[in-house]
Amino acid sequence: MKKYVDVIVPLSIANLFTYSLPEELENKVKTGCRVVVPFGAKRYYTAIVVKIHYSAPEEYETKEVTEVLDESSAILHTQLKFWQWVADYYLCTLGDVYKAAIPSGMKLESETIVTYNQEYEAAEKMSDKEQTLLDILSNDNEQCITQIERAANIKNILPVVKSLLEKGAIFIKEELKRNYKPKTEARVRLTESMNCEIAVKESFDKLSHAPKQLAVLMKYIEISGWMSDNSDNLKEVSKKELLEKSGASASILNGLADKGILEIYYHEVGRLEKYNSDTVPMNMLNTIQQNSFNNILSAFHQKNICLLHGVTASGKTEIYIHLIQEVIKAGKQALYLLPEIALTTQITNRLKKVFGSRLGVYHSKFPDAERVEIWQKQLSENDYDVILGVRSSIFLPYRRLGLIIVDEEHETSYKQQDPAPRYHARSAAIMLASIYGAKTLLGTATPSIESYYNATHGKYALVEMKERFQNIQLPEIEIVDIKELTRKKRMNGHFSPYLLQKIRESLENKEQVILFQNRRGFAPMIECRTCGWVPKCKNCDVSLTYHKGLDQMTCHYCGYTYNVPKSCPACGGVELINRGFGTEKVEDDIKYIFPDAKVARMDLDTTRTRTAYERIINDFQEGKTDILIGTQMVSKGLDFDRVSVVGILNADSMLAYPDFRSFERAFQLMAQVAGRAGRKNKRGLVVLQTKSPELPLIHEVVTNDYFRLYNEQIEERSLFKYPPFHKLIYVYLKHKKEDILEQAAECMARYLRNGLGERVLGPDKPPVGRIQTLFIKKIVVKVELQASMSKVRNYLAQVQRTLIEDQRFRSLIVYYDVDPM
């Protein structure tokens, strides 16, 4: 009987696809393995097998699987189950989850290959570009388009390819490009004919007239231990090591290979960092930490999820380490999730000391090949006991997961915004742990309102730590009214005299300072003083942010750049002024005020690589930097010994956002930033600059009164039907034409109200109504907790299908954000 496979393809298409298996591949396929399949006219994709069966589909004729890539499953059964939950819950396709979950190095891509037609004779004169392309192909008959584009230095080469294709000068074909190549090392060994003492002695005699080659052979014999008593267990010798120790050149070694004495071979080596297997004992827990640790273990007997609410610097990380040790003792794995890559640098060092080579680190700043190797190691018998990573780590293979720690569980960075799946790593981690029968610990100093509600209403267990490690006091928070100071013209740029005085004192005492401004760039906008003209992005409805270092204006939504104008294009005025300020402007001003201080900036612009993160954090930790300026990156659990002053430059900017979570987020950010001050030796100081010192929220930050904030927020959310009392789903519609979008949004809202009634609000225009040339409309669906979410999801999908079937809305984009942040 003919065998068939149902597969997931890495495309945003709802269904699984069925392919037939050629006879020679029938016994090679397993559930969870990767196969290459043709899709469309000339495209090939790497698909994941989810089912093997003997039923041919009735709707279409199947194509054949081209190749099987794995001898065993690359995706575990539990992962496929988890993927299905993510797709169902977050209203996306399995293809979307597949694209997000797997490193791109494990996905083969179809890439156009251009082939030179040897029999072609030109009947007409070629253009310069056409001739250049043919000259490149004459040296190497088959090349992919990206290679030719690079060699020809022609930006848009596709029209040239199309023209030559029409003339018959070239052919094109589709060829699979393998992204991942194992890392290999050139090594050296004696050839088979040399594997006896007589042959080696004879080669010594032959090489008496080639002293340099003889020296290399002698050095090989010395390093490999060939002459020792245990010559059966020779040491592997790398080509690099042999050349370095013998001081010879590669050509001398090649000479020995040509004579059949030595041979060079390639051995696969991992890219993964080799941690020292030597570890140090864990630190002892103090009384408060030990009590919390015991309470968590006890709570896990009653509930699978526990919230650890501990003030900043209470020693939560040490408790995590002890919990991980318990899990490893039980023969299980732990996953330690962090919201930001910046945090992994510091915490990796702490965990490495305790867990050594049992620790694996996984995040997007690693090269793709390295992520592939971690994935493959996780599938092996020699997998990691502990994985430390950011949100994407939940998609790794786990064979014996016992505990997931979600550190700083309140952080918005755990929520994936674009593209789909728009999952929240905290919710996904809880479900992943449930699938494995594992436990989940949520840790934070400022819990999300939803998590604290769940913990106080019995859904989660709750453990609280209200004292800092070694009884260090919480920082003193001083409020500075910058509205009054601005009126009196006493501000120095964006700094109050009080803040500058405290920075000066800190620098004199050889202490460090953190300045927090939650906006990157130099200025959020430039404005003409004469007519009020503001440069806007041509693709999005936002003003362009000025970056002084790049001397250009950039859109933070689509990346569009615009040269800084010398004069106003609207009125010709030359007085263009900056409005607002970002981290780059703060850095500029601080360097001017404190020219002798060593200043660093940590934001998205300065941390685009893994090494950039590590360098900035290590320099600050080692005291090479005096003042660190940053966005919310500096608020997230970083632990620095010598920080005595933290300046929050503009608290009001966090409160103005039109979102029901704005006060909660502002409190969390300010409390977390404040927690960076005075963590070891003495009480720190936080200078909080605001134009609204009378706001209750500011008082709550000063007194660290989370409970008052929580009670206010819970009352408000209950009244207006927000989480945790209702589930939220945002429905987004996008189209290039605003009038068609208006019609589609009204139409969809009408359909939704027919089935969901007053639960549907909108459509409305979001704060940014156009991004990357697409106009946007938003519909809000509020669903009470008692309602069946599966029925709501099915109804949304049904309405979307009905809408897309309308000829007017064929090119409409509809997507969902479940549990939006």
Side-chain angles (χ1 to χ4, degrees), residues 740-764:
I740 292 175
L741 179 68
E742 292 279 354
Q743 294 170 43
E746 290 297 337
C747 196
M748 187 162 193
R750 191 165 59 249
Y751 285 147
L752 290 175
R753 283 194 184 92
N754 288 342
L756 301 173
E758 292 182 0
R759 297 181 182 94
V760 180
L761 304 175
D764 290 311

Side-chain angles (χ1 to χ4, degrees), residues 534-584:
V534 173
K536 295 271 181 74
C537 175
K538 68 173 186 178
N539 304 317
C540 314
D541 284 349
V542 290
S543 58
L544 296 168
T545 302
Y546 173 47
H547 289 259
K548 189 180 178 185
L550 301 169
D551 193 30
Q552 65 183 19
M553 311 203 68
T554 306
C555 173
H556 288 171
Y557 284 88
C558 72
Y560 168 73
T561 57
Y562 181 80
N563 289 329
V564 182
K566 302 287 184 230
S567 61
C568 172
C571 72
V574 290
E575 235 184 316
L576 300 174
I577 53 172
N578 298 327
R579 291 285 186 205
F581 66 104
T583 47
E584 194 181 8

Side-chain angles (χ1 to χ4, degrees), residues 59-71:
E59 304 84 14
Y60 57 90
E61 192 178 331
T62 58
K63 293 179 180 180
E64 282 195 340
V65 168
T66 307
E67 191 181 344
V68 177
L69 297 176
D70 302 304
E71 291 178 9

Side-chain angles (χ1 to χ4, degrees), residues 22 127 350 410 414 417 432 472 532 603 634 655 670 752 776:
S127 72
R350 286 182 72 174
H410 65 279
Y414 280 125
Q417 300 297 346
L432 182 67
I472 292 166
D603 57 26
V634 299
L655 306 174
M670 287 190 270
L752 290 175
I776 308 166

Side-chain angles (χ1 to χ4, degrees), residues 137-184:
L137 283 171
S138 64
N139 295 326
D140 184 356
N141 287 349
E142 284 190 2
Q143 292 187 54
C144 71
I145 282 180
T146 47
Q147 284 175 306
I148 298 168
E149 206 167 47
R150 214 176 294 126
N153 199 21
I154 300 169
K155 278 193 177 172
N156 186 9
I157 206 163
L158 287 178
V160 187
V161 173
K162 182 171 175 283
S163 165
L164 287 171
L165 193 62
E166 286 166 355
K167 290 174 180 174
I170 58 172
F171 304 121
I172 65 165
K173 68 173 185 177
E174 291 296 306
E175 184 164 292
L176 290 168
K177 182 183 81 174
R178 295 175 186 266
N179 279 340
Y180 171 71
K181 287 181 183 173
K183 185 179 179 183
T184 56

Side-chain angles (χ1 to χ4, degrees), residues 292 295-297 299-300 303-311 314-317 319-320 323-324 335-339 394 402-411 414 424-434 438-456 458-465 664 668 672 706:
S292 298
N295 290 340
I296 291 165
L297 290 180
F300 278 152
K303 299 232 175 357
N304 290 326
I305 307 159
C306 178
L307 174 66
L308 174 61
H309 178 200
V311 296
S314 56
K316 295 187 288 295
T317 308
I319 293 173
Y320 300 156
L323 286 167
I324 291 168
L335 168 59
Y336 188 149
L337 285 176
L338 293 164
I394 59 169
L403 172 69
I404 301 180
I405 295 166
V406 185
D407 196 15
E408 310 293 354
E409 66 83 29
H410 65 279
E411 275 292 346
Y414 280 125
H424 196 299
R426 179 186 61 213
S427 306
I430 289 168
M431 177 49 66
L432 182 67
S434 163
K439 306 295 182 185
T440 307
L441 180 69
L442 311 177
T444 177
T446 53
S448 65
I449 299 295
E450 291 95 320
S451 292
Y452 200 71
Y453 179 85
N454 287 334
T456 52
K459 190 175 178 180
Y460 304 164
L462 175 64
V463 174
E464 300 195 274
M465 297 171 70
E664 176 193 4
Q668 287 165 342
Q672 290 285 344
Y706 172 80

